[in-house]
Amino acid sequence: LGSMSSIAISYGEKGSVFCGLKSDGLNSVTCYGSNSAIMYETPTRFSFHGLTGGDGFVCGLLMDSNQPYCWGNSGYIQMGVPQPMIREAQYLEISAGDYHVCGLRKVRNRNVSLVDCWGYNMTANYVFDGMIQSISAGSVFNCGLFSNNGSVFCWGDETSSKVISLIPLKMKFRMISAGGFHVCGILEEVDSRTFCWGRSLNIEEQISVTHVSGEGNVDLAPNDPMISVVGGRFHACGIKSYDHRVICWGFIIKPSTSVPTEVKVYEIAAGDYFTCGVLAEKKPLRPVCWGVAFPMSLPLPVLPGLCKPSPCPSGFYDFDQQKGLCESPNSGLCKPCSGDCPVEMYQKSGCTLESDRMCEYNCSSCSSPECFLHCSSSYSNTRTEKKNEKFWALQWPVVIAEIGLVLFISCIVILIAVLYVHHRLRDCECSARFKKSKKLDASSSLQDENINKIRPEMEEFKLRKAQRFTYKELETATCGFKEESIVGKGSFACVFKGVLQDGTVVAVKRTIVSLSFPPNNTHKNFKEFHTELDLLSRLNHAHLLNLLGYCEEGGERLLVYEFMANGSLYQHLHGTNHVLKQQLIWIRRVTIAVQAARGIEYLHGYACPPVIHRDIKSSNILIDEEHNARVADFGLSLLGPVDSNSPLSELPAGTLGYLDPEYYRLHYLTTKSDVYSFGVLLLEILSGRKAIDMMQYEEGNNIVEWAVPLIRSGDIAAILDPILKPPHDLEALKKIANVACKCVRMRGKDRPSMDKVTTALERALAVLMGSPCIEQPILPSEVVLGSNRLHKKSSQMSSNRSENEDQRFELRAPSWITFPSVASSQRRSMSEVDGDGKVIEVKNVGNVGGISDVLRSLEEEIGPASPCQRSFLEHNF
Ligand SMILES: Nc1ncnc2c1ncn2[C@@H]1O[C@H](COP(=O)(O)OP(=O)(O)OP(=O)(O)O)[C@@H](O)[C@H]1O
């Protein structure tokens, strides 16, 4: 709804989406929300002049061709470039209503304006006398603002809105914005008042939407001067020109979050029942939304307005001065100059081409607490300055003498300290050398080496710090870590659901300190804690689990994450609740696979040096409130080599069934080890089977061994999860199965890289969703190192999940059980600790006494195994 802007909102039954032009100087688009058709088809590689959104779709005006390009889903408008299109038509502006989109054409003849519309009841070419400066689309109508006399003209269906017959003919406007059943405009008058007309009120009553008393008629706009106004279905919002704060009026549906009147915004756009704006302060250029059913996590910083040819016209200033936000060097981001300063303030400097006008408090006429606070602090500052001057005039000889004395004493103290430290260091060196020769064992030196390997490089991309919580805070948040708050258990940690003091719902991971762990495990747990803390504080991606903070007090090590309301993929695929599994339909499964692949691709390709996760598995793929996947658990992650041809030599760690055989055998660790684990995950998603399932299957308990031959023989249907009806066309799932086969190849170098995997999966998803012609990657890449996402607040729903009992049998190979230090007999009966801290025996996975096909082909490819290695592989592959 409304006019073209740097931000656009789509709404409707298929979910809400926020899209914005990125502030990266490329004018490319980024979207966030729950309408998967919009999300997956976002054309991230195109540059746009501006955006507009309707019911289930978003359109942008392409920079190259000046034509509209739409994506998402609409029964009335053709997605892509809407048709019919006049050949070589170029547009100045586009605007979307509920089910249509219109474009204002560039014309040479300034006496006429051409507007082309596509969609519900509106597909036509319109010719108007006079020059239209801008157009704005409402639900089923459009309006144009004429530049010569500021008058407004509307056309379309006005049966319910009466927007055409109620047009205020005598009023002149400087801007207009259409909403659902009304139009609002800012008057050309000096005081920039807003005037709205239409019949939202009557419609609202008819559909009996409850509303907050005291608010109501959208026609009753406030008197405040405004610089921008937008219209939602039954409400309107504006930015006040003197302080850039938002004000909304009209019908506000009851459970709406309130208008953030305390923040300042640059740009706003309205959906049906919610509005979003681009923040001007605090987190500059980040979006924020309010109302009902708006997208929860919003994309990265977006442009606060449209880039227009520079210099800006009078009454505007260029926000983009040297910021490089606009793609073309000859364009600027022209924002309207703010109006008069608020009461109690005077104008410090006027609006120029470079900057907006500035206001300062007038301390002689204060009446508000903010003014008093500001003035009293500056008054006390000047008083303090004067006092200080007097003091120093009298005291300076004394002070200089005192400083001399202090310096003299300090020099003596430093000299003594240096001599003492020097003396102590000599002792340390001796004892360290002594200890090294006596005590240092191979494993501890390796661990230290690892730590050293991580730290110096990680410092290089230290960009963001996690918040430090006190134990008390987290104890209160989780109701004393009570049993009922537990949402999951891992090998070394319990995860609790908690609510922080500010209402944020979080997951608190608490390391289990248990006597049943081997003693060197405490060190290992703490190392995992620090690895996870270090890495997650530096990584940020829409599909990685966000770390909010940590607590390290005494023996307690706690990590605080965003709470994932829908648990883990493991719980969905293998939990006792079969409904959950059935609800995980093919599109959802493949979407989760694409999103997880995106997260891992980011770790491998965008983080530098690459991060190797080392523990990709279904229990580490978490699912948020909006059913988006997030890769979690970075406890085992390592910084990998920049070049995957020069692997790290690492002691194997990870989870059995997902572990790369090459990594096990040769201790070669590259990003391709994650690719192997991801291949296993894909097979798990397709088949609904666990990576290793010795409880249910005697034969084929190893998913790779079972599925790969079936896929290679072309019998894809045989591996598909029997709980779901196979799709009509197996093409997409076949593609995914083939990708999985490539991922689980024995040699790392024969496996595809994660970016190739992601692209292949995205294409498969497009085929599954019925748009096979999509050739480009279709997920937006919301990739930025070190920036915070907006965190979900208390709106996050609680989930009644409980950890699936079966999960305890997932077998994880701890890093201390490795070749060649552990004998095969020990390995055969190696013990593993389950989620409850109990020790469970790892059972023989099969193929004892005989070499499995997988092992045989591994041998063919990477040479024969030693007896020790053979025994271990027989257990696990
Ligand atoms: N942020 C979160 N929000 C909601 N649930 C979570 C969150 N983090 C973890 N969980 C739940 O807690 C479980 C245990 O997580 P954890 O990372 O400790 O172990 P794991 O990865 O399942 O196993 P392991 O430690 O053996 O690798 C997860 O499987 C998941 O169900």
Side-chain angles (χ1 to χ4, degrees):
L1 293 171
S3 308
M4 184 170 90
S5 158
S6 59
I7 55 176
I9 283 165
S10 175
Y11 45 86
E13 271 177 9
K14 298 212 170 75
S16 324
V17 171
F18 173 97
C19 292
L21 296 181
K22 285 201 228 169
S23 56
D24 56 1
L26 294 175
N27 281 38
S28 54
V29 63
T30 174
C31 294
Y32 196 92
S34 50
N35 182 329
S36 43
I38 296 181
M39 294 303 297
Y40 300 137
E41 284 163 23
T42 304
T44 51
R45 289 175 187 181
F46 298 159
S47 298
F48 291 102
H49 288 295
L51 304 170
T52 180
D55 188 319
F57 70 97
V58 176
C59 299
L61 184 59
L62 289 165
M63 273 209 165
D64 292 345
S65 61
N66 288 311
Q67 291 194 340
Y69 180 92
C70 303
W71 64 98
N73 217 319
S74 165
Y76 303 100
I77 313 164
Q78 178 178 330
M79 295 292 105
V81 176
Q83 296 296 325
M85 173 80 71
I86 307 274
R87 253 184 100 215
E88 286 165 14
Q90 297 201 344
Y91 295 86
L92 287 168
E93 191 187 3
I94 53 169
S95 178
D98 278 343
Y99 314 109
H100 74 277
V101 60
C102 292
L104 173 63
R105 238 196 285 169
K106 270 187 182 175
V107 281
R108 288 217 184 94
N109 179 355
R110 300 185 135 247
N111 295 326
V112 288
S113 298
L114 304 180
V115 178
D116 300 333
C117 297
W118 306 268
Y120 180 69
N121 255 353
M122 208 75 77
T123 305
N125 308 111
Y126 301 89
V127 183
F128 298 99
D129 284 337
M131 195 167 153
I132 292 182
Q133 147 189 345
S134 71
I135 52 170
S136 192
S139 174
V140 281
F141 65 90
N142 305 295
C143 296
L145 175 64
F146 285 94
S147 49
N148 55 343
N149 59 4
S151 64
V152 177
F153 174 80
C154 298
W155 73 100
D157 181 354
E158 68 147 2
T159 329
S160 37
S161 62
K162 296 278 175 282
V163 280
I164 300 171
S165 41
L166 290 173
I167 290 177
L169 295 172
K170 288 190 183 143
M171 289 184 172
K172 294 184 175 185
F173 295 89
R174 60 175 66 160
M175 79 151 295
I176 51 161
S177 186
F181 302 92
H182 61 276
V183 185
C184 290
I186 299 177
L187 291 167
E188 262 185 7
E189 294 166 4
V190 227
D191 60 2
S192 304
R193 247 182 346 107
T194 304
F195 182 84
C196 301
W197 68 97
R199 292 193 52 194
S200 289
L201 175 65
N202 304 16
I203 305 293
E204 187 67 34
E205 278 170 350
Q206 274 166 31
I207 64 164
S208 65
V209 176
T210 46
H211 64 276
V212 178
S213 57
E215 298 177 36
N217 197 342
V218 77
D219 310 350
L220 298 176
N223 276 330
D224 304 71
M226 308 219 190
I227 46 169
S228 184
V229 64
V230 291
R233 176 84 59 218
F234 301 114
H235 74 277
C237 292
I239 304 176
K240 290 189 271 182
S241 71
Y242 51 86
D243 60 3
H244 278 258
R245 289 174 202 259
V246 182
I247 184 165
C248 295
W249 61 99
F251 283 91
I252 315 282
I253 290 180
K254 261 253 168 74
S256 293
T257 55
S258 54
V259 183
T261 44
E262 73 290 354
V263 296
K264 298 185 176 188
V265 299
Y266 280 132
E267 188 82 345
I268 43 175
D272 47 2
Y273 301 109
F274 66 95
T275 313
C276 299
V278 182
L279 287 176
E281 283 182 338
K282 290 182 187 159
K283 289 177 182 166
L285 309 188
R286 283 184 171 278
V288 60
C289 297
W290 58 93
V292 215
F294 49 84
M296 297 301 279
S297 329
L298 294 176
L300 304 167
V302 291
L303 284 184
L306 296 175
C307 293
K308 300 213 163 126
S310 54
C312 297
S314 83
F316 289 80
Y317 69 98
D318 188 355
F319 181 85
D320 193 27
Q321 288 286 323
Q322 285 148 26
K323 291 197 187 83
L325 298 174
C326 297
E327 197 192 48
S328 159
N330 300 326
S331 60
L333 217 153
C334 301
K335 303 289 312 167
C337 293
S338 303
D340 293 342
C341 291
V343 269
E344 301 175 323
M345 291 187 126
Y346 65 93
Q347 190 166 310
K348 206 174 151 195
S349 60
C351 182
T352 64
L353 271 184
E354 285 88 40
S355 64
D356 197 7
R357 63 103 181 95
M358 310 259 277
C359 300
E360 183 68 66
Y361 277 107
N362 186 351
C363 293
S364 57
S365 61
C366 269
S367 58
S368 73
E370 298 90 42
C371 178
F372 278 122
L373 197 72
H374 174 86
C375 292
S376 62
S377 66
S378 52
Y379 174 66
S380 70
N381 282 348
T382 28
R383 266 186 60 172
T384 320
E385 272 165 28
K386 278 191 184 150
K387 253 188 182 173
N388 284 347
E389 270 170 31
K390 239 182 183 174
F391 173 81
W392 285 111
L394 291 172
Q395 297 289 319
W396 72 264
V398 183
V399 171
I400 286 177
E402 279 171 1
I403 289 173
L405 188 67
V406 168
L407 277 177
F408 177 70
I409 294 170
S410 315
C411 285
I412 291 176
V413 170
I414 289 169
L415 194 70
I416 294 169
V418 168
L419 288 174
Y420 177 75
V421 169
H422 190 253
H423 175 74
R424 293 292 301 207
L425 276 179
R426 259 193 18 225
D427 287 355
C428 283
E429 247 173 47
C430 296
S431 64
R433 229 178 283 143
F434 174 74
K435 270 184 199 156
K436 214 174 186 177
S437 62
K438 284 272 183 199
K439 287 186 185 164
L440 206 67
D441 64 20
S443 72
S444 73
S445 76
L446 242 164
Q447 274 178 353
D448 291 346
E449 225 175 69
N450 289 342
I451 292 169
N452 288 338
K453 203 167 9 184
I454 292 173
R455 303 270 160 176
E457 291 153 327
M458 289 213 321
E459 290 307 313
E460 283 174 21
F461 59 100
K462 188 169 190 166
L463 289 166
R464 184 164 65 95
K465 240 182 167 343
Q467 189 187 338
R468 189 176 189 132
F469 289 96
T470 61
Y471 181 78
K472 192 90 207 107
E473 277 174 299
L474 299 181
E475 193 183 32
T476 314
T478 55
C479 302
F481 296 104
K482 67 168 187 227
E483 194 76 18
E484 295 82 73
S485 309
I486 294 180
V487 289
K489 283 177 184 172
S491 311
F492 305 111
C494 263
V495 180
F496 297 81
K497 183 180 174 182
V499 183
L500 298 179
Q501 226 173 13
D502 67 355
T504 312
V505 184
V506 293
V508 182
K509 189 176 194 173
R510 187 188 195 196
T511 308
I512 303 163
V513 183
S514 160
L515 291 175
S516 52
F517 286 138
N520 67 345
N521 233 34
T522 316
H523 175 73
K524 187 180 163 301
N525 287 348
F526 287 179
K527 192 190 147 196
E528 287 198 8
F529 171 86
H530 282 287
T531 306
E532 184 140 13
L533 183 57
D534 278 343
L535 279 174
L536 280 181
S537 314
R538 290 163 170 81
L539 299 172
N540 193 2
H541 185 267
H543 299 301
L544 298 184
L545 179 64
N546 238 10
L547 180 76
L548 303 183
Y550 69 100
C551 163
E552 196 172 13
E553 268 179 38
E556 289 287 352
R557 298 289 181 276
L558 302 150
L559 290 166
V560 183
Y561 304 94
E562 288 176 292
F563 181 72
M564 296 292 108
N566 284 305
S568 70
L569 178 60
Y570 183 99
Q571 287 166 333
H572 286 253
L573 286 175
H574 314 302
T576 39
N577 185 348
H578 284 270
V579 181
L580 272 187
K581 194 171 180 180
Q582 271 163 344
Q583 281 169 351
L584 210 57
I585 54 171
W586 290 117
I587 288 195
R588 209 166 260 180
R589 287 185 192 210
V590 181
T591 305
I592 286 171
V594 171
Q595 293 175 332
R598 274 254 178 224
I600 305 166
E601 181 195 347
Y602 167 79
L603 294 179
H604 293 180
Y606 293 86
C608 188
V611 173
I612 307 176
H613 186 284
R614 291 210 295 174
D615 205 9
I616 297 296
K617 57 178 175 176
S618 53
S619 61
N620 284 341
I621 307 296
L622 301 184
I623 300 171
D624 70 15
E625 201 174 28
E626 285 156 9
H627 292 278
N628 290 312
R630 307 279 195 93
V631 179
D633 202 351
F634 287 74
L636 290 181
S637 301
L638 283 179
L639 293 179
V642 177
D643 173 14
S644 69
N645 292 325
S646 46
L648 289 179
S649 170
E650 270 301 320
L651 297 181
T655 303
L656 297 187
Y658 295 88
L659 254 176
D660 166 16
E662 198 179 44
Y663 173 36
Y664 247 132
R665 284 282 311 280
L666 307 174
H667 297 187
Y668 277 8
L669 179 66
T670 67
T671 48
K672 295 293 182 70
S673 299
D674 282 348
V675 175
Y676 182 92
S677 314
F678 186 74
V680 178
L681 181 78
L682 283 181
L683 294 176
E684 205 179 334
I685 288 174
L686 288 175
S687 66
R689 283 197 187 196
K690 291 180 191 168
I692 288 182
D693 197 344
M694 51 212 177
M695 309 299 284
Q696 227 178 323
Y697 308 99
E698 284 227 327
E699 288 288 310
N701 53 39
N702 178 306
I703 199 167
V704 175
E705 211 173 314
W706 165 75
V708 170
L710 287 169
I711 297 169
R712 288 213 177 120
S713 71
D715 192 2
I716 168 83
I719 69 144
L720 296 184
D721 192 344
I723 206 155
L724 293 187
K725 227 173 93 193
H728 288 307
D729 186 359
L730 286 181
E731 194 48 40
L733 300 187
K734 213 182 239 172
K735 273 181 200 279
I736 297 168
N738 286 330
V739 173
C741 281
K742 288 181 189 163
C743 291
V744 296
R745 280 177 181 157
M746 288 302 153
R747 275 181 209 261
K749 67 182 173 63
D750 295 338
R751 294 173 206 149
S753 54
M754 257 342 266
D755 57 328
K756 295 221 170 72
V757 173
T758 314
T759 311
L761 292 179
E762 282 168 355
R763 285 186 186 154
L765 179 58
V767 173
L768 196 64
M769 290 170 70
S771 49
C773 49
I774 290 168
E775 273 306 315
Q776 60 186 34
I778 47 173
L779 271 189
S781 40
E782 294 151 23
V783 174
V784 157
L785 265 172
S787 61
N788 272 315
R789 269 193 302 269
L790 287 173
H791 299 307
K792 290 174 192 176
K793 292 277 176 181
S794 48
S795 64
Q796 282 171 316
M797 310 285 287
S798 71
S799 78
N800 299 325
R801 291 171 298 109
S802 73
E803 184 70 2
N804 177 9
E805 291 297 302
D806 288 355
Q807 198 176 342
R808 295 197 209 138
F809 290 98
E810 194 171 51
L811 310 176
R812 174 155 163 172
S815 53
W816 67 90
I817 301 179
T818 56
F819 304 122
S821 56
V822 181
S824 63
S825 58
Q826 280 171 282
R827 263 179 256 119
R828 203 177 287 256
S829 63
M830 82 186 181
S831 296
E832 183 58 52
V833 183
D834 79 343
D836 294 326
K838 288 177 226 148
V839 176
I840 55 166
E841 202 74 13
V842 172
K843 296 196 180 141
N844 194 334
V845 185
N847 294 319
V848 183
I851 300 171
S852 71
D853 288 345
V854 173
L855 179 53
R856 209 175 293 121
S857 66
L858 175 61
E859 294 221 320
E860 279 163 19
E861 291 194 43
I862 58 175
S866 70
C868 263
Q869 294 168 340
R870 175 178 296 255
S871 163
F872 196 86
L873 287 162
E874 280 170 357
H875 274 288
N876 303 306
F877 294 100

